[in-house]
Every structure is written in structure tokens, then in C-alpha cells.
Amino acid sequence: MASATVRNVPLLDDDTIPFGEEDEMRDPSRAGQKYTHPYVTFFHLFFRGAAILIYMFCGWFSDSFITSFVFVVLFLSADFWTVKNISGRLLVGLRWWNYVDDDGVSHWVFESKNSRVNKNEQRIFWLGLILCPVFWGLFFLFALFGLKFKWLLLVMIAIALNAANLYGYVKCNYGASKDLNSAATDFVKTQLFKNAVDIMTRPSGAPPPTNVRPTGVV
């Protein structure tokens, strides 16, 4: 069942499959496979990875800044749409969107559904969502200190699009009504408490546990 921060929200016009009912449309032949949505997983990484590679190596193929700018923005736009509307919904069961009510007030909706999530796809989704903005942040520093201001504009566009999806899905994952700082604090406290309990309850001489999840992958 899907949950949202705003009640009585309208349905999206392109909701051909209601949010939360994707499992009913799943191909039963893929049950038990490593990746339930292999094509979605591929394109979740392809567009954002292609934008980074084109930015890094465009000078090898063309000296035209306009050509490089257009191709990078095209891949960034395709990535933003894919991650916002497809991969987040299918890979981790999260969705965020916006609508304007009859009074002209804009509302942001952050939804999460209770469904089975493939752990491999979930890990890939969050790693791609978190690592790519880090790369663009590094490109921002290089462009800033290298005084490459025309490239700085392109990097800022990339950071804005990547950060929008990252912020939206973090809000969906931790709850839109909960402050992100308090959510991060609670997560750290929980991890510290678990580690303390493990240390106190682990037999003397026993090796430390190895099934620790990486921070930021939920």
C-alpha cells in the first residue's frame, strides 16, 4: 500500500499502473533471479554514467563546447526522467512528484510502498544515486579552481538534476514528515547501539561480524 505526505492527492495522468501494484505485473519467470528488472537497472546507471563520461572525454572527439554541452544535457535530462519516474518506482518502491491544487498551491508528494524489493537492485539504485553527485561535485571544484566558467554552468545543471532526485528519494525513504537531520541522528544512534550490543554479547575470541551494510544503502 502506498503512503503519501498529502492526503487525497490526485492520480497522475500517466499512471497506467497504479503505484504499489507493480508486483502484480511482474513476470513470474524472473522469480528467484539475481535481477528482477535488468533493463531498468541498466538504464538507471547508463544515462548518468554516459553524461559523466561524455563530460570527461568530449575533448577527445570534438572541440565544440556547444556540441558537448547539448549531449551532456540530453543524457542528464534522460537520466532525471528515468530515475524519477521509472527506476525509483520499480527498483526501490519509492516515488516523489508535485501537483498544483485548485487554489494554485503547489504540493510535493513523497510516496513509499510496502512490497518486495530486490536487494541487488536496491544496492545499485542507491549507489548510483549517491556516487554520481559526488563526481559532479568534484568536477565543480576542478572547473571553479581552473577558472573554466563555461563548464561550471554545465556542472551546476548536472548537480541540480542529480541533487533533486537524491533529495526526493531520501525524503521518501526516511519519511517526508521527518526532519532529515533527526533521521540521520537516529540512524547513527541505532548503529552505535547495535555495535555495542554485538561487542558485549559476542563470545571472547570470536571474529567480528562481516554482514555490515554500507552506510547510505538502505
Side-chain angles (χ1 to χ4, degrees), residues 2 15 20 22 25 31 36 40 47-48 74 76 94 103 114 129 138-139 144 152 162 174 180 188 203 210 214:
D15 247 354
E22 293 86 353
M25 307 297 294
T36 310
V40 176
F47 289 124
R48 55 184 45 217
L74 283 176
L76 287 172
L94 303 174
D103 297 327
N114 298 321
L129 199 68
L138 293 175
F139 295 153
L144 179 64
L152 194 62
N162 280 260
Y174 284 103
L180 293 181
V188 172
T210 58

Side-chain angles (χ1 to χ4, degrees), residues 114-134:
N114 298 321
S115 63
R116 298 185 304 273
V117 175
N118 185 291
K119 297 299 181 183
N120 295 315
E121 294 178 346
Q122 184 185 52
R123 187 177 301 111
I124 290 175
F125 175 85
W126 286 109
L127 284 175
L129 199 68
I130 293 172
L131 290 180
C132 288
V134 173

Side-chain angles (χ1 to χ4, degrees), residues 7-50:
R7 295 184 178 182
N8 300 322
V9 297
L11 293 176
L12 290 177
D13 294 335
D14 58 351
D15 247 354
T16 54
I17 301 176
F19 182 69
E21 298 183 9
E22 293 86 353
D23 291 339
E24 299 178 4
M25 307 297 294
R26 182 176 298 175
D27 186 357
S29 64
R30 293 192 177 276
Q33 293 187 4
K34 186 175 182 180
Y35 296 103
T36 310
H37 308 92
Y39 297 110
V40 176
T41 305
F42 170 78
F43 283 105
H44 174 72
L45 298 176
F46 173 74
F47 289 124
R48 55 184 45 217

Side-chain angles (χ1 to χ4, degrees), residues 76-218:
L76 287 172
S77 301
D79 167 70
F80 178 82
W81 186 91
T82 301
V83 174
K84 179 180 181 295
N85 297 297
I86 299 178
S87 63
R89 176 175 178 169
L90 295 179
L91 301 185
V92 291
L94 303 174
R95 182 173 68 169
W96 65 274
W97 51 287
N98 171 269
Y99 76 97
V100 179
D101 61 20
D102 296 335
D103 297 327
V105 179
S106 178
H107 298 274
W108 292 94
V109 183
F110 304 92
E111 299 176 304
S112 63
K113 64 179 182 179
N114 298 321
S115 63
R116 298 185 304 273
V117 175
N118 185 291
K119 297 299 181 183
N120 295 315
E121 294 178 346
Q122 184 185 52
R123 187 177 301 111
I124 290 175
F125 175 85
W126 286 109
L127 284 175
L129 199 68
I130 293 172
L131 290 180
C132 288
V134 173
F135 279 106
W136 287 112
L138 293 175
F139 295 153
F140 176 84
L141 295 177
F142 292 149
L144 179 64
F145 290 107
L147 302 179
K148 300 178 180 178
F149 297 111
K150 61 180 182 180
W151 292 103
L152 194 62
L153 173 62
L154 179 58
V155 173
M156 291 174 65
I157 294 174
I159 291 176
L161 293 175
N162 280 260
N165 267 325
L166 178 60
Y167 177 79
Y169 283 116
V170 169
K171 292 280 283 185
C172 291
N173 189 64
Y174 284 103
S177 60
K178 187 172 184 179
D179 182 71
L180 293 181
N181 290 330
S182 63
T185 302
D186 292 344
F187 177 80
V188 172
K189 289 180 179 179
T190 301
Q191 293 302 313
L192 291 176
F193 177 77
K194 288 182 179 179
N195 291 337
V197 171
D198 290 340
I199 292 175
M200 291 185 294
T201 58
R202 189 169 64 240
S204 177
T210 58
N211 58 343
V212 180
R213 293 185 303 175
T215 304
V217 181
V218 182

